[in-house]
Amino acid sequence: MDRLSNLRQVLGKKLLEKVENSKILMVGSGGIGCELLKNLVMSGFKNIEIIDLDTIDLSNLNRQFLFQRQHIGKSKSKVARKSALEFNPNVNIVAHHANIKDPQFNIKWFKSFDIVMNALDNLDARRHVNTMCLAANVPLIESGTSGYLGQATVIEKNVTECFECQPKPTPKTFPICTIRSTPSAPIHCIVWAKNYLFAELFGKSEDNDEIDEEVTEENNKEIENLKKESQALKELYQYAGTPEYSEKVFDKVFNQDINRLLKMENLWKTRTKPTPINTEQYKKALEINMDVDEDKNDSKIKDDQKIYSIEENINMFKECLELLVQRQLKGKKIDPEFSMSFEKDDDIIMKFVAATANIRAHIFSIEQLNRFKIKEIAGNIIASIATTNAIISGIIIMDAYKILNNQLEECNTIYLTHDSSSNVFVKEFLAKPNPRCAVCRKSYFVLTINIEKFTLNDLLNKVLIKPKDNNGLGLNGDITICEDQRILYDFDFDDKLNDTFSKVKIEDGKYLNITCDDDDKMYNIMIYIINDSSLDKDFILEGDSTSISYILPPEPEPEPEPEKTNKRKHSDGDDANNKKHKVITVDIVDDDDKVETVLLD
Amino acid sequence: MIPQIKKSMIYDRQLRLWGDQGQNSLETAEICLLNATVAGTECLKNLILPGIGKFTIVDEKKVTGSDVGSNFFLTVDQIGQSKAKCITELLKGLNEFVEANYVEKDPVSLINEDDKFFKQFNVIIASNMLEKDLIKLNKICTTENIILVSLKTNGLFGILRSYVPEHTIIDAHPENVTDYRLDNPFQGLSNYCKQFDFSKMSLVEHSHMP
């Protein structure tokens, strides 16, 4: 009886062989990753590559069982690999401690895998992997968990929906006036403390200058005032390091700014007026002697659960501000561009944000929250347990077996529920691709040429326009060739046609975006460039040219809200973004009307 | 760092789901696994990680080659050793706060000869056991008010069933509770029901009874 006897009995010799010979990429080795890696090495998979940029934290140990206390601080992917090998040394595991978005993980690398499995916790990486798998034409098993809930689905180009076919709920953002002028809930105060106060005092200066809110007639004046307010706060920095700094900062944000708001009578017609805290009250609060440094005994847990008094919060504000300023001054001595970003596990930063959020809440008569809750909100913490991850990882393996057995169509999207009434699993048929999806309705090709010899004209005439039965893509209509944001050729601009790729700086590893407007169809092609200096003027084009996908024009009227088959809530384990709300525009140029598609980051 | 702080930091992500009360319920749990099967091991792993109080594995068998191939918590060098002992040792490493024990006996012999053994547990996970033994075990559990979970897997199939002693739940938030107390009906309801003679009804009348 050898180690694989049970597996051979269950899968059969043929499928087991396919499994053993397959090459798997697992993106992420945290909650889902540990369970999935365990399953992979026990399910016959012999060639596994894993990648994760993160290091091990104490809070991971309740579920990421491949890690133990001695591993804290070390690379997740590397330790996961080592632990897994201890349990099954007969498997080849390659571990990368890196970001999946690094250029070294290119289309060629993705193509080397039979299946890609996501074990991620953020939308950004998921989108990236989705695009790469579509371009490389590799099946992707996408999954996510959050608390008791989870789901897993399969994505294959031209067969199923891709990750972006359906819009994903964007992280909630609040209007700037709610945050800066009229908060009404604890979360508004927390966002203020973290994204305004902390960011203005200690963050990168460029990030804070923009106010992304749309400027309208009404809020025009208010936004101007808010900008002035931020400017004034910044100017206080000259006092940093002096004993008066804390008092000045406190007076500015918790007294002067509040008084300015009070002058705007119309804001307070129906709302409770805020009560500023003046310097006298501030000084009085500091006289109360409190020991804010809580490293002793069991007080730490109680402190996390405690609701502090306004005096205690004021003391904490002063103490944390001074500690952070010291850090800042020290840092700037070494690097004038030094800045701090919010870190939920940094005790001082967390205390500062909690104290200031609660002071603001006090001023606006809003409920106070304990640090445990504030950390959860500010840090976007997702509850996570071993069982949910274990279940979803099991489903991933079952999907993998089906894919390797050419039964991808028999896969379903599976949701793990937690209602006491319904079934544990809810199955949904895999949907077909959305004909209007800007991501998967793109055709992806890989073009190998010699960048020193191949010209744009060669690309246009030998590849793009040449008929399909003559090795070309047979494009008919107005063609535009772009690289990143630059237009290299369109029907109006052909100056560069005779330039070589190298001359227009199209190098190995770059992507060309080609659009072709043919009446009402818009073809969107992405060509990945590989340089081969041994070639002359010839080229190698890889990809499916038989059916080049096109995007339908956008619907004339807004689509009705799709309710019907209850689309379950997606659990992303998403840490949302702590970053500023940025807007990136991608122009999909249509001849008659300029259609702009806006992607929100 | 004292244990309480360490626990609250390690368990942070689960405390946000079930709070202190849930955690307390877990930590007072004493769980017994009968037969160290793969499914049973997996089950224990998922209970040990969040921090149950105590676990005991009962199995008299020795580790074989095919065991190593299917159980993540067994290695090649353990072939021939006691299965219960080996798995217990490896599972123990998952959580320092959990107490671990093993008994190298056949669970069936304990059911037949030493049912008092089970009194110390509040949950028993019986894995891959025969129906006749499960019936006996169920009687013991019912008497001692122990939760019994029976677990069986075979290839791609599995069955899980829990037997929980009858217990009362009090709904502390009776906003929408419509309770007819059918197992203890009020007088008016009883009288109303007694009016009907089911034997004298037509099929149509009967199917339209409230």
Side-chain angles (χ1 to χ4, degrees):
Chain A
M1 281 281 225
D2 70 307
R3 117 178 259 141
L4 289 173
S5 56
N6 283 323
L7 206 48
R8 194 174 293 116
Q9 229 182 327
V10 172
L11 299 179
K13 207 158 159 241
K14 254 201 204 157
L15 180 54
L16 181 57
E17 246 173 59
K18 285 188 196 172
V19 170
E20 286 183 286
N21 293 330
S22 66
K23 234 187 130 193
I24 305 293
L25 170 64
M26 183 173 84
V27 189
S29 53
I32 298 180
C34 285
E35 296 286 343
L36 186 53
L37 188 58
K38 161 189 68 87
N39 287 345
L40 284 168
V41 311
M42 299 309 291
S43 304
F45 293 89
K46 287 203 150 32
N47 303 297
I48 305 165
E49 216 155 313
I50 61 183
I51 174 170
D52 196 317
L53 43 62
D54 221 353
T55 53
I56 297 163
D57 180 65
L58 187 58
S59 67
N60 298 147
L61 302 183
N62 78 324
R63 64 203 182 279
Q64 299 173 25
F65 70 98
L66 293 177
F67 312 139
Q68 292 182 331
R69 255 172 336 101
Q70 67 264 30
H71 299 131
I72 291 179
K74 300 205 175 138
S75 150
K76 280 192 181 178
S77 58
K78 300 214 159 139
V79 175
R81 170 183 174 275
K82 218 160 167 233
S83 302
L85 284 176
E86 273 171 42
F87 294 107
N88 186 350
N90 301 327
V91 182
N92 301 319
I93 308 178
V94 174
H96 300 280
H97 180 47
N99 189 332
I100 189 68
K101 292 170 90 171
D102 280 353
Q104 58 174 310
F105 305 117
N106 55 25
I107 292 195
K108 235 185 160 178
W109 183 73
F110 271 88
K111 266 183 186 282
S112 68
F113 300 104
D114 296 290
I115 304 179
V116 175
M117 299 174 179
N118 271 347
L120 289 165
D121 62 357
N122 69 89
L123 279 178
D124 186 51
R126 282 184 166 104
R127 289 200 173 111
H128 177 80
V129 176
N130 180 53
T131 306
M132 296 306 277
C133 288
L134 289 170
N137 206 3
V138 179
L140 169 65
I141 304 180
E142 163 58 47
S143 62
T145 61
S146 169
Y148 295 117
L149 306 177
Q151 78 282 328
T153 189
V154 175
I155 295 173
E156 170 139 82
K157 182 163 167 60
N158 292 334
V159 178
T160 73
E161 260 183 0
C162 83
F163 185 70
E164 306 219 49
C165 279
Q166 298 294 340
K168 297 286 178 286
T170 47
K172 190 167 168 95
T173 52
F174 299 100
I176 190 153
C177 295
T178 309
I179 304 298
R180 297 283 300 271
S181 310
T182 52
S184 55
I187 185 168
H188 304 150
C189 303
I190 296 170
V191 172
W192 176 88
K194 172 186 162 197
N195 294 344
Y196 171 64
L197 187 61
F198 177 79
E200 281 291 346
L201 291 173
F202 304 107
K204 273 207 210 109
S205 45
E206 324 90 59
D207 280 355
N208 305 326
D209 287 343
E210 308 138 32
I211 290 183
D212 289 328
E213 183 92 349
E214 218 188 293
V215 179
T216 64
E217 279 259 4
E218 304 133 12
N219 65 22
N220 194 10
K221 189 154 179 261
E222 180 57 19
I223 291 196
E224 271 311 304
N225 284 329
L226 293 176
K227 283 191 182 162
K228 281 194 206 145
E229 239 174 44
S230 320
Q231 195 51 36
L233 182 61
K234 267 214 268 283
E235 280 161 18
L236 286 179
Y237 179 68
Q238 54 183 303
Y239 297 101
T242 67
E244 304 89 49
Y245 188 49
S246 329
E247 193 181 307
K248 284 193 193 290
V249 171
F250 190 95
D251 190 65
K252 172 87 185 58
V253 299
F254 295 124
N255 192 19
Q256 293 172 35
D257 290 350
I258 307 296
N259 278 315
R260 184 189 71 78
L261 285 174
L262 279 170
K263 290 207 186 99
M264 304 173 66
E265 301 260 342
N266 58 313
L267 287 181
W268 313 110
K269 286 210 175 106
T270 51
R271 298 184 180 100
T272 318
K273 286 188 182 175
T275 49
I277 302 176
N278 60 35
T279 310
E280 205 185 302
Q281 291 163 306
Y282 169 75
K283 286 192 173 146
K284 198 145 177 256
L286 291 179
E287 280 165 26
I288 302 171
N289 198 6
M290 37 200 58
D291 198 351
V292 188
D293 183 25
E294 322 120 340
D295 253 333
K296 0 185 172 61
N297 312 320
D298 60 349
S299 60
K300 192 183 187 305
I301 311 159
K302 297 209 194 111
D303 293 331
D304 269 0
Q305 309 279 9
K306 193 175 165 186
I307 301 284
Y308 288 96
S309 67
I310 183 66
E311 290 85 9
E312 286 172 312
N313 278 322
I314 291 176
N315 272 279
M316 233 177 294
F317 158 82
K318 179 171 191 289
E319 181 150 326
C320 294
L321 180 71
E322 285 171 359
L323 286 169
L324 289 171
V325 167
Q326 274 174 39
R327 228 194 264 178
Q328 184 181 39
L329 291 172
K330 225 180 184 178
K332 289 216 169 180
K333 272 203 192 125
I334 304 171
D335 173 15
E337 299 295 312
F338 176 84
S339 68
M340 287 184 253
S341 46
F342 177 78
E343 270 298 331
K344 67 178 187 299
D345 293 315
D346 182 314
D347 259 358
I348 312 287
I349 294 181
M350 199 55 242
K351 272 189 207 165
F352 179 76
V353 170
T356 49
N358 275 329
I359 295 173
R360 186 168 174 84
H362 174 96
I363 287 174
F364 283 88
S365 309
I366 296 170
E367 179 198 352
Q368 302 269 295
L369 292 182
N370 66 27
R371 225 183 287 158
F372 187 71
K373 204 70 208 323
I374 293 182
K375 185 174 177 180
E376 188 175 310
I377 297 173
N380 290 313
I381 296 180
I382 307 285
S384 192
I385 48 174
T387 39
T388 315
N389 291 325
I391 295 171
I392 295 299
S393 305
I395 294 173
I396 296 172
I397 297 292
M398 299 314 297
D399 282 340
Y401 282 158
K402 286 190 190 145
I403 293 174
L404 289 172
N405 214 24
N406 291 320
Q407 290 172 295
L408 190 144
E409 319 79 51
E410 293 187 30
C411 296
N412 294 96
T413 298
I414 297 188
Y415 295 94
L416 179 63
T417 70
H418 198 237
D419 316 318
S420 50
S421 51
S422 60
N423 302 316
V424 174
F425 294 114
V426 172
K427 289 205 272 191
E428 227 173 56
F429 287 117
L430 289 176
K432 295 226 183 323
N434 176 0
R436 292 189 170 82
C437 176
V439 178
C440 72
R441 296 294 81 206
K442 231 183 215 177
S443 299
Y444 297 87
F445 293 92
V446 179
L447 181 68
T448 309
I449 39 92
N450 184 340
I451 59 173
E452 304 289 343
K453 302 243 170 96
F454 207 72
T455 64
L456 283 176
N457 200 11
D458 290 331
L459 175 66
L460 186 63
N461 289 305
K462 291 185 187 172
V463 181
L464 300 179
I465 296 180
K466 223 187 200 144
K468 285 193 201 163
D469 51 20
N470 205 352
N471 288 329
L473 294 182
L475 292 182
N476 225 349
D478 292 325
I479 295 177
T480 307
I481 303 175
C482 297
E483 190 271 313
D484 210 351
Q485 307 281 33
R486 339 173 263 153
I487 300 180
L488 298 171
Y489 165 83
D490 71 16
F491 71 95
D492 228 354
F493 171 60
D494 56 6
D495 301 7
K496 297 195 187 288
L497 264 188
N498 289 318
D499 289 349
T500 61
F501 273 33
S502 155
K503 185 137 189 260
V504 285
K505 298 225 181 344
I506 306 171
E507 295 136 13
D508 185 275
K510 293 238 161 158
Y511 295 88
L512 290 177
N513 260 309
I514 320 275
T515 55
C516 174
D517 186 12
D518 179 10
D519 286 343
D520 62 343
K521 293 199 193 107
M522 180 116 74
Y523 294 90
N524 204 339
I525 297 171
M526 196 175 239
I527 301 189
Y528 177 77
I529 304 298
I530 298 182
N531 182 33
D532 183 347
S533 45
S534 72
L535 292 173
D536 188 25
K537 281 284 225 167
D538 29 336
F539 66 91
I540 305 168
L541 183 67
E542 296 164 80
D544 184 9
S545 55
T546 53
S547 62
I548 302 181
S549 10
Y550 53 84
I551 305 180
L552 291 177
E555 291 255 291
E557 294 124 76
E559 284 192 58
E561 282 275 54
E563 322 104 42
K564 24 160 207 170
T565 48
N566 35 316
K567 262 287 177 188
R568 298 236 160 204
K569 175 177 180 279
H570 258 80
S571 316
D572 301 310
D574 196 349
D575 66 358
N577 31 24
N578 297 332
K579 294 180 271 160
K580 210 55 184 226
H581 183 81
K582 287 209 203 103
V583 171
I584 304 170
T585 13
V586 170
D587 283 9
I588 297 183
V589 177
D590 178 307
D591 214 2
D592 300 319
D593 26 279
K594 287 231 177 291
V595 172
E596 263 189 324
T597 305
V598 176
L599 297 171
L600 289 165
D601 194 343
Chain B
M1 215 196 285
I2 66 154
Q4 272 309 108
I5 297 181
K6 209 191 274 180
K7 269 195 206 176
S8 74
M9 291 173 79
I10 296 179
Y11 295 154
D12 182 272
R13 298 299 187 267
Q14 69 203 41
L15 290 173
R16 293 184 193 276
L17 200 55
W18 52 60
D20 289 326
Q21 208 179 10
Q23 190 59 35
N24 210 32
S25 299
L26 267 175
E27 291 186 16
T28 51
E30 298 188 16
I31 302 187
C32 177
L33 172 67
L34 302 178
N35 286 325
T37 59
V38 182
T41 309
E42 186 72 36
C43 209
L44 275 186
K45 158 186 141 285
N46 291 334
L47 289 165
I48 292 165
L49 282 170
I52 48 171
K54 197 156 108 174
F55 74 94
T56 303
I57 300 184
V58 179
D59 196 327
E60 87 290 11
K61 299 187 273 298
K62 305 279 184 228
V63 180
T64 64
S66 76
D67 282 335
V68 175
S70 50
N71 196 328
F72 190 72
F73 289 94
L74 287 174
T75 52
V76 175
D77 49 322
Q78 289 169 320
I79 294 180
Q81 296 178 36
S82 151
K83 205 150 85 157
K85 178 167 183 274
C86 294
I87 293 181
T88 302
E89 266 160 21
L90 285 169
L91 284 179
K92 200 171 157 182
L94 292 175
N95 191 335
E96 64 182 287
F97 300 113
V98 177
E99 206 182 303
N101 284 312
Y102 64 93
V103 174
E104 286 180 59
K105 281 209 178 122
D106 181 357
V108 179
S109 69
L110 285 174
I111 293 174
N112 291 326
E113 293 149 33
D114 183 16
D115 55 11
K116 294 217 185 335
F117 167 77
F118 299 104
K119 273 175 109 149
Q120 51 179 307
F121 305 107
N122 36 29
V123 179
I124 298 181
I125 302 172
S127 172
N128 276 12
M129 292 194 75
L130 297 174
E131 182 112 345
K132 61 179 174 70
D133 301 316
L134 275 174
I135 292 176
K136 287 192 199 140
L137 182 58
N138 197 11
K139 284 211 180 78
I140 301 170
C141 289
T142 314
T143 326
E144 303 292 350
N145 214 17
I146 302 171
I147 297 172
L148 172 63
V149 177
S150 94
L151 180 60
K152 206 174 201 159
T153 58
N154 198 330
L156 297 174
F157 296 90
I159 183 166
L160 172 80
R161 189 170 171 182
S162 31
Y163 305 83
V164 183
E166 187 183 282
H167 54 279
T168 312
I169 298 175
I170 297 172
D171 190 347
H173 302 281
E175 295 122 2
N176 274 331
V177 174
T178 316
D179 182 5
Y180 295 113
R181 286 169 29 202
L182 292 177
D183 66 337
N184 184 13
F186 51 91
Q187 198 63 45
L189 184 61
S190 290
N191 292 341
Y192 178 71
C193 292
K194 289 197 181 112
Q195 284 175 46
F196 300 95
D197 187 350
F198 292 94
S199 57
K200 294 216 164 72
M201 288 184 186
S202 73
L203 206 55
V204 178
E205 284 171 334
H206 191 260
S207 32
H208 284 258
M209 286 303 300

